[in-house]
Amino acid sequence: MAGQVLARRVVDDDRAFVVPGAVAQLIRPMMASTMIDAVRAGALLYVLSGLAAAPAFTTWVDVEGTNEVVLAVLGAVALVTGFVLLRMTAEATVEQMERIVPVAMPITMVSTIIVLGVLVVAAGPNLAVVAVFLVQLPLLIFVLYQTRFAVLVASVLMAVYAVALSLVDGVRAPGWHVVIVGAAAGGTAVLLGRLARRMDEARAELADLNRHLEQRVAEQVDELERVGQLRRFLSPQVADVVVTRGSEGLLEPHQSEVAVLFVDLRGFTRFTNSVDADTVVGVLGEYYAAVGTVLEAYGATIGGYDGDGIMAYLGDPIPRPDAAADGVAMARAVGLAVDPLCASWRAAGHDLGYGIGLAFGTATLGVVGFDGRFDYTPLGAVVNLAARLCADAAPGEIVIDASVRRATGRKGTRTRGQVELKGFDAPVPTFALVRS
């Protein structure tokens, strides 16, 4: 039960406490936590009031003419009231508080007036000063949330105090008594009321900040999930750009000019049949790491992996005006990265090489696949051409098509001649990048 109450208190702490009915005009809306704090403060003051009216205290101050029986009864009532309020705030929910306050407010007002008058007559003006603070103050903590009502209640209380003083014999300057007590009690209540208002405003600001923080955290979590999904088939740089711009529409089916690169290993099938699995995995790990570093540096989008084959492209989903030229530079960089690996593999007795094909043209791009496994990939003749050029390349050769050569110029290339490629009706002009 205590755990449920505590959990409810946390939930309600940032909620506005609105008193229903006619009393709503007397108490302004406030934070639920502020209302509970105010009730607790009033409860503690009632406890102190009960202790102050105890016979031991009246004997200690030696107030002449004090009716100790009356004070003892009033003290007991005040103690019980204080403990009841403390108990109520410890277990009551905000909904229960909203039902209790409209009933408790009138009862508290009437009982305060009666107790004040009886205290003054029974204990005399000196002890009554203490009683006024301890009994009147809890009420003013609440009523000062609405200034006009606070003035009304304070005036009624001070009028009762003045009438009670007139019934006590031997009181000097009763008017000053009224002024001093009223000013002190009212001033203290005003300060407490303003402090409570400021606490209420601070809590409201904090609650607003918490709501914005929760919203921002939720947005960041969504963004991270989107980035994680996109990075399955986009380079990290491109995925970040897509998420930052909110441009998932770029991933819808469309056509773009792209430079498509294929690279694979020569002699890989024979190699896998002659060595153990650990060696195969080790070689592939080195190969993927070297090629992947280059592709990431150039911001290429990874189109897929197929054993020893890797496909990547430039120009989508973010347009790239110099996709062909950048593709040439990327192809050369891939060759430079794999050359040392081939040398080390040959030194270890593994006859492995590589070939690279690069084509430039219009492709259809979009997300393809099935539930649970999707890839963003280019489709079309330019993709097939790059794959066929890669397959036709000699070990260590980078083969390009005529479109790449036109876009980048003849410098640094040599003609390989017309080549019959699978899937193409006519021979295809091919060119090779000259390796320095």
Side-chain angles (χ1 to χ4, degrees), residues 153-217:
V153 173
S155 300
V156 171
L157 290 174
M158 296 317 299
V160 172
Y161 181 53
V163 171
L165 279 180
S166 66
L167 300 176
V168 179
D169 296 330
V171 177
R172 296 181 180 180
W176 280 110
H177 271 278
V178 174
V179 172
I180 293 172
V181 171
T188 305
V190 167
L191 292 177
L192 287 173
R194 289 183 177 178
L195 177 61
R197 277 178 178 269
R198 181 58 192 141
M199 290 175 60
D200 215 10
E201 293 170 357
R203 281 171 170 158
E205 292 173 2
L206 181 60
D208 186 61
L209 288 175
N210 287 336
R211 282 191 294 270
H212 282 81
L213 179 60
E214 291 174 358
Q215 180 181 356
R216 180 57 182 158
V217 169

Side-chain angles (χ1 to χ4, degrees), residues 136-429:
Q136 179 184 358
L137 198 55
L139 181 61
L140 291 182
I141 291 175
F142 294 101
V143 299
L144 275 177
Y145 282 109
Q146 293 290 347
T147 306
R148 287 178 295 180
F149 182 66
V151 171
L152 173 63
V153 173
S155 300
V156 171
L157 290 174
M158 296 317 299
V160 172
Y161 181 53
V163 171
L165 279 180
S166 66
L167 300 176
V168 179
D169 296 330
V171 177
R172 296 181 180 180
W176 280 110
H177 271 278
V178 174
V179 172
I180 293 172
V181 171
T188 305
V190 167
L191 292 177
L192 287 173
R194 289 183 177 178
L195 177 61
R197 277 178 178 269
R198 181 58 192 141
M199 290 175 60
D200 215 10
E201 293 170 357
R203 281 171 170 158
E205 292 173 2
L206 181 60
D208 186 61
L209 288 175
N210 287 336
R211 282 191 294 270
H212 282 81
L213 179 60
E214 291 174 358
Q215 180 181 356
R216 180 57 182 158
V217 169
E219 292 174 353
Q220 289 178 341
V221 169
D222 290 341
E223 185 172 304
L224 289 174
E225 291 178 351
R226 291 161 60 198
V227 171
Q229 293 173 353
L230 291 175
R231 285 190 176 183
R232 291 193 303 107
F233 43 79
L234 302 181
S235 67
Q237 301 95 318
V238 176
D240 292 339
V241 170
V242 172
V243 172
T244 301
R245 295 183 181 181
S247 305
E248 285 91 339
L250 292 172
L251 305 182
E252 297 296 327
H254 62 281
Q255 290 189 326
S256 296
E257 284 196 328
V258 294
V260 183
L261 178 145
F262 274 82
V263 57
D264 66 9
L265 294 178
R266 297 292 183 266
F268 185 72
T269 301
R270 183 174 59 255
F271 164 73
T272 58
N273 292 330
S274 61
V275 298
D276 58 77
D278 289 340
T279 303
V280 174
V281 173
V283 166
L284 279 179
E286 294 175 338
Y287 168 63
Y288 283 144
V291 176
T293 300
V294 174
L295 299 182
E296 183 176 347
Y298 279 85
T301 303
I302 308 299
Y305 302 91
D306 184 14
D308 60 311
I310 301 175
M311 188 264 280
Y313 52 97
L314 301 173
D316 192 272
I318 306 302
R320 199 154 178 164
D322 300 322
D326 291 341
V328 169
M330 183 172 68
R332 291 185 183 276
V334 169
L336 291 175
V338 180
D339 281 334
L341 293 180
C342 291
S344 67
W345 295 333
R346 284 192 293 270
H350 309 311
D351 186 16
L352 292 171
Y354 68 91
I356 298 175
L358 179 68
F360 177 68
T362 301
T364 299
L365 300 107
V367 177
V368 296
F370 56 89
D371 189 23
R373 176 58 184 173
F374 294 95
D375 285 309
Y376 181 77
T377 187
L379 303 168
V382 64
V383 180
N384 296 332
L385 179 57
R388 299 291 180 253
L389 293 177
C390 176
D392 192 64
E397 187 178 34
I398 302 174
V399 181
I400 63 174
D401 72 337
S403 296
V404 173
R405 191 166 187 255
R406 282 194 299 270
T408 59
R410 297 186 177 186
K411 186 178 180 179
T413 66
R414 63 176 176 82
T415 302
R416 296 177 77 248
Q418 305 274 343
V419 179
E420 296 280 350
L421 298 177
K422 182 180 179 180
F424 292 85
D425 297 333
V428 177

